[in-house]
Amino acid sequence: MKIIRLETIALAGLLLLVVPPLCSAQNADAATTNSSDAQKPAAAQDQKTTPDSQGAQTGSQNKPTGQPSDLPNAPSSSKTEPSLEDLGFSPAQTQADAARQALLDKRTHMLKVHQRLGLITAVPLIATVATSLNAGGKNTSTASRDLHTALGGLTGDLYFLTAYYAIRAPRVPGTETRGPIRFHKAMAWIHGPGMIATPILGIMAFDQKNKGEKVHGIAQAHGPVAIVTASAFGAALLSVSVKF
Amino acid sequence: MPMTQLTWMRTFAAGLLLALPLLASAADSQWFLQQSTLTYHVSHPLHQSEGVSHEARGKGICHAGQCDFLIAVPVKSFDSGDSNRDLHMIQVTRGAQFPMVTVRTKLPESASASTTIQADLEIQFAGQTAQYKQVSFQLATQGNEIHLTGMIPATLSDFKIDPPTLLTLPVKNEMPVRVDLTWRPQ
């Protein structure tokens, strides 16, 4: 009788030893399956990209996902592989956000156009500054003055087109502006009003000159305002181009 | 010895033999990433830029002398000191669509005693998977922690990333990633 009771206790003890590891193994299976669900959107996107990546993804991401669900009793080494959920990343952190990607794509496209137009604008801007030497003063040549005016007009048009692409580029929520872009944006508060004031003052000076008058009044500020505006524009361009 | 006692002893021995492998598996060790610094480097004729992230998380599970490691870091966690560049980086790497960079590798458990290891890495980034064979890492043991440093010779083309341009000039294809990780066993 005693022996039978001892045997029962021993077997119960063995069961207690064996059951917890078996349970943890099952949990590992469940965790692997869950983690594969969390990675599904990314994996699905991966497969769209290239045939090469399809093969690679099948070999990597699908390895832990496919085996436990297809063959629940099959021994799998993937049980031991950690998953993103094991690392404590929430599904929100790991899931694809197509809307945000579209926003970023649109922003980049518009800022690329802004960058190109800014570079193009710099050409007539430099030419306008260069032709200003013969446009004012005692020189009465209307040809050089007209050329300066035309180049100034072209610069203004291109400038506002450039500005449009920067202003209309979508903002990305939750992004704090840091780095040289802050200086670039600050310069816009100088060259923006300057690009409005310079042509107005230029037209006034142009009219006075054409009437044979000496440039007077507020029109005298055309040159200094233009220099400050061009300098701010140049500084803005350099701030995002060259590392200081 | 009575027959019943002999039977009981045989049952107990068989039970122990069955239980031992399971007990052994329960004793598997794990490694956790304590601290991390990942730095990517991008070269442009006018700029040399670096983006740093300290937000990587990692885990290693060792089983039967073999350890499976997973390190993951959000793409948006890399900071280059220029918010405009960081947003552009997320865009070109399709970081909103594929928000995580994951690195998987398998190493023998005995590698923790070495000073240098060669690891085969499988990196998922920007919706692509790239394999890097025999990447060299230096190991330094500090107490019960292991400090791992090395450089992953990543390139933009490995992940089919269009090189970003500045003033119409593209950045170089090379995008090495400096790795500095501190691991601790559980």
Side-chain angles (χ1 to χ4, degrees):
Chain A
M1 188 64 183
K2 257 184 191 175
I3 292 164
I4 292 166
R5 200 175 291 164
L6 203 66
E7 189 179 350
T8 313
I9 291 164
L11 280 171
L14 266 176
L15 269 175
L16 282 170
L17 279 169
V18 170
V19 166
L22 282 172
C23 288
S24 71
Q26 278 184 346
N27 287 342
D29 277 348
T32 318
T33 312
N34 289 341
S35 71
S36 69
D37 288 345
Q39 288 185 35
K40 260 177 195 167
Q45 296 290 351
D46 286 350
Q47 288 171 359
K48 276 182 193 171
T49 52
T50 56
D52 291 349
S53 69
Q54 263 188 4
Q57 291 299 330
T58 312
S60 56
Q61 285 203 340
N62 289 352
K63 205 191 290 173
T65 66
Q67 286 179 351
S69 58
D70 296 345
L71 300 165
N73 298 321
S76 166
S77 61
S78 65
K79 278 178 195 170
T80 61
E81 287 182 10
S83 69
L84 281 178
E85 279 192 353
D86 290 338
L87 303 183
F89 288 111
S90 65
Q93 283 177 290
T94 57
Q95 269 171 5
D97 188 342
R100 195 175 174 89
Q101 186 65 47
L103 184 84
L104 287 167
D105 289 343
K106 187 181 178 187
R107 179 185 176 277
T108 295
H109 169 72
M110 292 193 77
L111 291 181
K112 268 186 180 176
V113 176
H114 167 72
Q115 192 188 90
R116 265 184 209 153
L117 283 173
L119 286 171
I120 293 166
T121 307
V123 177
L125 179 75
I126 292 164
T128 308
V129 172
T131 55
S132 69
L133 300 170
N134 294 322
K138 289 175 183 175
N139 196 326
T140 54
S141 163
T142 54
S144 57
R145 198 172 300 146
D146 288 345
L147 177 65
H148 174 71
T149 307
L151 284 168
L154 178 66
T155 304
D157 289 346
L158 284 168
Y159 174 84
F160 287 109
L161 195 62
T162 305
Y164 169 82
Y165 279 93
I167 293 162
R168 298 293 295 170
R171 302 284 175 268
V172 179
T175 308
E176 187 196 344
T177 307
R178 286 173 292 103
I181 196 69
R182 287 183 72 174
F183 181 80
H184 183 79
K185 284 182 174 179
M187 285 295 105
W189 290 101
I190 299 172
H191 60 69
M195 278 288 181
I196 296 167
T198 304
I200 294 168
L201 296 169
I203 290 164
M204 289 165 72
F206 184 82
D207 288 344
Q208 289 170 7
K209 267 282 179 196
N210 282 354
K211 286 177 191 167
E213 298 169 5
K214 194 181 174 191
V215 176
H216 59 273
I218 198 170
Q220 282 180 302
H222 170 67
V225 169
I227 289 166
V228 171
T229 303
S231 303
F233 183 89
L237 198 150
L238 289 171
S239 69
V240 287
S241 310
V242 183
K243 202 170 190 176
F244 294 103
Chain B
M1 191 178 282
M3 195 61 185
T4 44
Q5 202 172 347
L6 195 69
T7 313
W8 172 77
M9 279 182 75
R10 276 181 187 158
T11 314
F12 187 75
L16 259 181
L17 279 172
L18 273 170
L20 273 175
L22 291 163
L23 288 170
S25 73
D28 287 351
S29 63
Q30 293 191 350
W31 289 85
F32 287 93
L33 188 58
Q34 289 298 114
Q35 284 182 325
S36 67
T37 305
L38 301 174
T39 311
Y40 73 79
H41 185 97
V42 178
S43 296
H44 183 270
L46 298 172
H47 280 278
Q48 297 292 318
S49 305
E50 286 196 336
V52 184
S53 174
H54 300 287
E55 292 183 27
R57 294 181 195 177
K59 188 177 179 181
I61 300 176
C62 301
H63 179 80
Q66 187 78 5
C67 300
D68 289 292
F69 284 91
L70 170 67
I71 301 115
V73 60
V75 177
K76 68 176 181 185
S77 68
F78 284 89
D79 182 0
S80 71
D82 182 339
S83 57
N84 198 45
R85 187 190 299 130
D86 292 339
L87 284 173
H88 194 195
M89 180 276 285
I90 296 169
Q91 189 272 326
V92 294
T93 60
R94 303 178 288 281
Q97 212 167 351
F98 307 103
M100 303 298 292
V101 185
T102 62
V103 182
R104 286 183 188 274
T105 189
K106 286 178 194 289
L107 289 168
E109 207 165 358
S110 58
S112 61
S114 314
T115 54
T116 306
I117 54 165
Q118 309 285 326
D120 292 342
L121 309 178
E122 183 190 271
I123 302 180
Q124 288 184 5
F125 175 42
Q128 304 293 326
T129 303
Q131 312 276 345
Y132 294 90
K133 300 283 179 196
Q134 299 292 297
V135 180
S136 191
F137 291 100
Q138 285 71 51
L139 266 67
T141 307
Q142 296 163 345
N144 67 336
E145 290 181 344
I146 288 182
H147 188 215
L148 181 144
T149 52
M151 186 80 82
I152 301 171
T155 66
L156 296 171
S157 57
D158 290 340
F159 302 97
K160 297 184 170 57
I161 295 168
D162 293 329
T165 59
L166 179 65
L167 303 175
T168 71
L169 297 169
V171 300
K172 282 185 187 170
N173 186 39
E174 287 73 29
M175 180 194 57
V177 180
R178 204 163 58 241
V179 175
D180 191 324
L181 308 172
T182 304
W183 292 87
R184 181 178 281 181
Q186 192 184 33

